[in-house]
Amino acid sequence: MFDLSTAQMEIQLVAIVVAVACALVGVFLVLRQMAMMSDAITHSILPGIVVAFFIVQDLSSPFLIIGAAATGVLTVSLVELLERTRLVREDAAIGIVFPALFSIGVILIARFARGIHLDLDVVLLGEIAFVPFNRTEIFGIDLGPTALVMMSVILLINLIFILLFYKELKLATFDTGLAAALGFSPALIHYGLMSLVSVTAVGAFDAVGAILVVALIVGPPAIAYLLTDQLRLMLVYSAGIGVVVAVLGYWMARMLDASIAGSMASMVGIIFVVAYLLAPQRGLVASYLRRRRQRWEFAGIMLAIHLFNHEGLPSAEQENRVEHLQDHLNWNPDFADRAVRWAERNRIIVRRNSHLFLTEEGREQAREAIVR
Amino acid sequence: MFPDFLTDIYSDYTIRNITLGAMVLGLVSGSLGTFAVLRRQSLLGDSISHAVLPGIILAFMLTGSRDPLILILGAAIVGWLATLSIMAIVNTTRIKQDASLALVLSVFFGFGMVLMTFVQRQPDAAAAGLQRFLFGQAAAIIWDDVRTMLLIGGAAMAVFLLFWKEFKLVVFDRAFAFSLGMPVRRFDVLLTTLLVIAIVIGLQTVGVILMSAMVVAPAAAARQWTDRLGLVTTLAGLFGALAGVTGALISAYAARMPTGPTIVLCLTAIVLFSLVLAPNRGILWAWVRQHRQSRELRSRVVLADLYWLSQQHAGDDSGHSIATLEAMSAGRVAVDHGLEDLEQAGLAERTDEETWTITERGREQAIRDLAEEEREGSDV
């Protein structure tokens, strides 16, 4: 099974390149809270593809990409146009524009594209398994699958755009006002980014289908967002997660003999759930543990302050007995017992014949807590 | 006597089912979608409608039945799960609504595709019936489907009307609803459930991908015509039904017009019509209003200049040249058009080819305008 044929290698390579290209632009979509725009664009590029296909009659022509990218930008402009009338809100505008464009695409296919190789299923669901059959040659030299060549170019464009405009993108993403004040045009960055998303979506749809593109654009950045606070790291992590999704998704599909695109999307879900539960700082488990630790830390400090207040006084004899904590700190016996044991373990107190005494460190902590 | 399609609606079994189904669907999803749109949850509908795919297929895999009721139940359960996941992600992580919607949409849909490949591997053509949920296939709608839609849609509408007041309060005056001790969260959940139902009953006709339009577009169109919630909801239902029927009929008679997309385009046409022509809010009326205002402003400026000139020349009203007026307004307004408007209103009159003067009525009007400006402290 792990004896890789060239075709398998190529499919995985395409998947990896697609995933990384999507993840890179996706980071900015997620951060700019425009993730649903990817959904809109991936659907509404359909009529662009169809019309361009009617003109050039070739599914792998670069004109298809240009046509579809133009439709993508058109979608963004239409949404903004609708929004600017202030008659509908952004979410509703998106919800109106892309189904309309998608419908036009479907009807065009149904009416004029019968019997030619432009299948709705392929557009929506993609068929990455066919990728190796469609190859690009220049002067008789096989450059590899067309999808691989095309996506590599798109990945390169994305990389160059992000590296070149990193500062501008960062500023426009996190502080639009400042970016505008400094003379960067937020609109230019916005449309630049949207064009990239469109181009990436078009390049990728052929291999993985419109809906998986959404998973690849939004999934890895969302997962990376759970793992880091730094834009630079988020880009790197997203790309890395994209690679993992591509490879694991492919093998999952092989083992289950299921749709590759679907498996990759499912893999995004699985990795997201893992990150959601286990992310070092923001994961569910980590924050549960942190809350629990804080609870005992707080209890320990309370105990230390209590003992400190009575230390050296006649009342200490009475006050610093374990049983007394129930009355004084309003702790139930079980909690008091566990808090005392936690404090003992952390060397805040020591216990001598059911009396509690502060250690030097405990005294220090109590003193600090009071001052604070 | 009658147009064909009117008699066909009664007599042709398929067309009757399609038309009726599309009408019920439009009515239910249109009116139930209103709250989603007004709560800024338009895209939740999109997310849910994609995400129910694995529910449909799982229901089929588990029961082996293609009974629409069972498939819809599966879709509803998974649609619910998807909604919960979206809420959980938004509430417990720093990932925002948009990314959670997109994530859940695509991951659930992808999982549905994986399940679909399992079903397709089975020798009998069972998957054929499921495929139509992707894009919808109205032609395959049978009376059973319509009955199911009527049943579920009717129940959802009944609940919707029953708790109308509560929903209204929970959505539009949340703080007040809380203060009354209403179970606000429970009503939220109920409202979302209704949305899920509205979506799943349309899946067979319109398909998962276009279903969101059925939820969003009618309400967006209806909102332009009125400010009253009851009317918006009713209109949205009517628009949905209208688009459903029109789209279904067009696709039944025109060759190769898939039903779902045709219905969506009918809806889009209604939305555009409403955006442009709805009284008050419509773009056309806004444009007319703006045009009228700028015209009025233009004549006021010209009138004020004429008045000033006549004051300066102490009653010498033999006429002031257009060139002077143009120089005074510094090219800000089209003086000649302004003069024509003034002449029509009887506020200015022509004394010669190129010269104009102010009338007595114009003088009075100019004095009133000046007084008003003074009051408003403007410096126009």
Side-chain angles (χ1 to χ4, degrees):
Chain A
M1 182 159 191
F2 287 93
D3 176 28
L4 289 174
S5 71
T6 330
Q8 287 177 338
M9 276 301 289
E10 282 174 354
I11 291 173
Q12 286 184 71
L13 259 179
V14 172
I16 289 172
V17 175
V18 167
V20 173
C22 289
L24 288 180
V25 289
V27 166
F28 294 99
L29 280 190
V30 168
L31 288 176
R32 295 162 73 98
Q33 300 189 28
M34 297 176 55
M36 280 309 271
M37 216 46 143
S38 67
D39 182 47
I41 289 178
T42 51
H43 284 79
S44 61
I45 54 182
L46 185 62
I49 294 171
V50 178
V51 170
F53 178 74
F54 288 158
I55 297 170
V56 296
Q57 298 287 325
D58 174 14
L59 251 188
S60 55
S61 158
F63 284 106
L64 246 61
I65 297 199
I66 296 169
T71 330
V73 175
L74 176 75
T75 311
V76 179
S77 329
L78 282 178
V79 168
E80 274 173 18
L81 191 72
L82 267 186
E83 213 188 323
R84 217 173 306 142
T85 62
R86 282 192 249 152
L87 297 177
V88 284
R89 298 207 189 90
E90 191 197 5
D91 59 330
I94 295 178
I96 292 167
V97 169
F98 87 80
L101 287 172
F102 185 80
S103 298
I104 293 174
V106 175
I107 291 177
L108 283 178
I109 291 181
R111 286 187 76 80
F112 305 113
R114 280 275 167 99
I116 52 171
H117 174 65
L118 186 57
D119 193 355
L120 251 187
D121 280 14
V122 174
V123 174
L124 270 185
L125 313 179
E127 202 30 277
I128 201 168
F130 297 152
V131 153
F133 300 126
N134 199 346
R135 309 191 74 86
T136 293
E137 287 183 12
I138 291 184
F139 306 127
I141 305 162
D142 183 18
L143 289 180
T146 308
L148 185 59
V149 176
M150 200 163 75
M151 279 315 295
S152 303
V153 173
I154 292 174
L155 173 60
L156 203 65
I157 295 172
N158 287 356
L159 263 177
I160 292 173
F161 181 83
I162 290 173
L163 289 176
L164 224 53
F165 297 108
Y166 182 76
K167 197 173 46 185
E168 286 81 355
L169 277 168
K170 191 174 178 179
L171 201 60
T173 301
F174 294 108
D175 195 341
T176 323
L178 181 63
L182 288 177
F184 303 137
S185 163
L188 204 67
I189 293 283
H190 175 69
Y191 276 95
L193 194 61
M194 286 303 145
S195 312
L196 280 195
V197 173
S198 308
V199 171
T200 311
V202 188
F205 96 93
D206 189 25
V208 294
I211 296 171
L212 177 59
V213 176
V214 178
L216 292 181
I217 288 179
V218 179
I223 297 165
Y225 200 33
L226 296 175
L227 301 176
T228 178
D229 285 333
Q230 279 177 287
L231 179 59
R232 209 174 285 267
L233 281 181
M234 195 172 155
L235 283 164
V236 175
Y237 286 178
S238 297
I241 294 163
V243 173
V244 173
V245 164
V247 175
L248 290 185
Y250 175 77
W251 285 107
M252 183 172 129
R254 291 271 314 204
M255 278 181 229
L256 299 174
D257 189 16
S259 140
I260 298 174
S263 301
M264 281 165 71
S266 305
M267 194 48 77
V268 168
I270 293 171
I271 297 179
F272 180 83
V273 171
V274 172
Y276 177 69
L277 294 176
L278 300 180
Q281 267 146 51
R282 302 182 185 279
L284 218 57
V285 174
S287 52
Y288 169 74
L289 289 178
R290 189 169 51 237
R291 263 201 299 275
R292 210 177 62 171
R293 201 185 58 233
Q294 280 167 348
R295 184 173 166 214
W296 293 120
E297 267 173 15
F298 184 71
I301 294 287
M302 288 273 286
L303 182 57
I305 291 173
H306 174 69
L307 294 179
F308 183 72
N309 277 340
H310 297 284
E311 202 170 40
L313 297 175
S315 58
E317 178 68 22
Q318 176 64 28
E319 292 285 346
N320 57 13
R321 287 150 54 94
V322 180
E323 304 84 69
H324 183 75
L325 296 174
Q326 298 165 23
D327 296 338
H328 197 99
L329 293 172
N330 211 4
W331 285 351
N332 69 41
D334 184 44
F335 185 83
D337 190 43
R338 288 170 68 181
V340 167
R341 267 188 289 151
W342 188 89
E344 259 184 311
R345 245 195 339 270
N346 287 277
R347 301 183 199 293
I348 293 172
I349 57 167
V350 286
R351 198 199 305 233
R352 283 188 220 111
N353 348 312
S354 86
H355 277 77
L356 306 174
F357 296 95
L358 282 170
T359 61
E360 195 46 52
E361 200 192 321
R363 206 167 288 127
E364 193 54 43
Q365 280 191 20
R367 216 173 274 138
E368 249 176 57
I370 290 172
V371 172
R372 212 170 26 204
Chain B
M1 225 166 48
F2 279 115
D4 271 353
F5 69 86
L6 279 185
T7 41
D8 282 353
I9 292 178
Y10 290 106
S11 55
D12 186 306
Y13 174 79
T14 316
I15 290 178
R16 191 184 59 201
N17 284 339
I18 297 174
T19 319
L20 201 60
M23 192 178 79
V24 173
L25 154 69
L27 190 73
V28 174
S29 58
S31 43
L32 293 182
T34 307
F35 275 80
V37 171
L38 296 178
R39 288 164 96 194
R40 304 189 182 206
Q41 288 186 336
S42 302
L43 294 175
L44 181 63
D46 184 39
S47 204
I48 294 174
S49 61
H50 283 73
V52 296
L53 183 65
I56 298 168
I57 299 169
L58 268 180
F60 171 75
M61 288 169 82
L62 292 178
T63 64
S65 145
R66 268 193 287 169
D67 182 342
L69 200 61
I70 290 175
L71 299 187
I72 284 179
L73 195 69
I77 293 171
V78 173
W80 234 107
L81 256 171
T83 316
L84 286 184
S85 315
I86 292 166
M87 288 201 259
I89 295 174
V90 173
N91 291 335
T92 58
T93 72
R94 55 178 179 162
I95 296 173
K96 305 292 184 303
Q97 170 103 359
D98 62 310
S100 348
L101 287 172
L103 187 72
V104 167
L105 173 163
S106 55
V107 167
F108 273 60
F109 190 87
F111 182 57
M113 279 164 60
V114 170
L115 293 179
M116 187 90 102
T117 40
F118 290 151
V119 176
Q120 274 165 342
R121 231 179 293 145
Q122 290 175 355
D124 56 350
L130 298 178
Q131 198 86 27
R132 69 183 174 137
F133 280 97
L134 271 182
F135 306 111
Q137 194 182 7
I141 285 187
I142 54 171
W143 173 243
D144 263 6
D145 299 324
V146 178
R147 209 182 43 200
T148 309
M149 285 164 80
L150 273 171
L151 200 77
I152 301 180
M157 287 298 280
V159 173
F160 184 54
L161 293 178
L162 190 66
F163 293 114
W164 170 259
K165 254 196 223 154
E166 284 83 354
F167 286 146
K168 194 171 158 181
L169 208 58
V170 164
V171 170
F172 296 101
D173 203 345
R174 227 176 156 67
F176 185 54
F178 267 118
S179 77
L180 288 181
M182 281 171 61
V184 172
R185 300 242 177 277
R186 237 173 277 171
F187 280 111
D188 274 345
V189 168
L190 190 56
L191 208 48
T192 309
T193 312
L194 291 180
L195 181 66
V196 173
I197 293 174
I199 289 167
V200 294
I201 64 167
L203 293 177
Q204 300 179 78
T205 317
V206 180
V208 296
I209 293 157
L210 291 174
M211 195 47 219
S212 66
M214 298 298 295
V215 176
V216 178
R223 175 69 188 88
Q224 311 310 324
W225 296 87
T226 169
D227 288 334
R228 299 202 24 215
L229 182 65
L231 275 178
V232 173
T233 313
T234 316
L235 262 183
L238 290 179
F239 284 161
L242 179 68
V245 171
T246 322
L249 285 175
I250 291 176
S251 81
Y253 288 97
R256 295 179 183 171
M257 289 289 281
T259 318
T262 311
I263 294 178
V264 169
L265 284 188
C266 288
L267 264 180
T268 311
I270 294 179
V271 170
L272 288 181
F273 181 80
S274 306
L275 286 177
V276 174
L277 288 180
N280 289 326
R281 282 172 67 105
I283 295 169
L284 182 68
W285 304 127
W287 184 78
V288 166
R289 235 183 349 256
Q290 202 191 357
H291 187 71
R292 198 180 291 152
Q293 274 168 1
S294 71
R295 216 167 139 164
E296 200 179 309
L297 189 69
R298 183 178 66 195
S299 9
R300 278 187 176 211
V301 169
V302 176
L303 185 68
D305 289 347
L306 263 182
Y307 175 67
W308 192 82
L309 284 174
S310 100
Q311 293 288 93
Q312 290 298 305
H313 292 87
D316 169 21
D317 279 335
S318 55
H320 313 285
S321 75
I322 293 181
T324 315
L325 288 164
E326 266 168 0
M328 287 178 77
S329 64
R332 276 181 301 160
V333 293
V335 172
D336 39 356
H337 291 299
L339 285 171
E340 276 161 29
D341 286 349
L342 287 176
E343 187 179 27
Q344 250 169 32
L347 302 177
E349 58 190 14
R350 203 186 280 269
T351 53
D352 197 6
E353 189 67 22
E354 286 288 305
T355 55
W356 288 74
T357 186
I358 194 165
T359 62
E360 200 46 49
R361 266 182 63 202
R363 209 181 298 276
E364 285 161 15
Q365 178 66 42
I367 290 168
R368 271 203 300 279
D369 285 353
L370 279 176
E372 194 180 323
E373 267 171 34
E374 201 120 297
R375 259 205 314 283
E376 286 169 4
S378 114
D379 56 355
V380 178

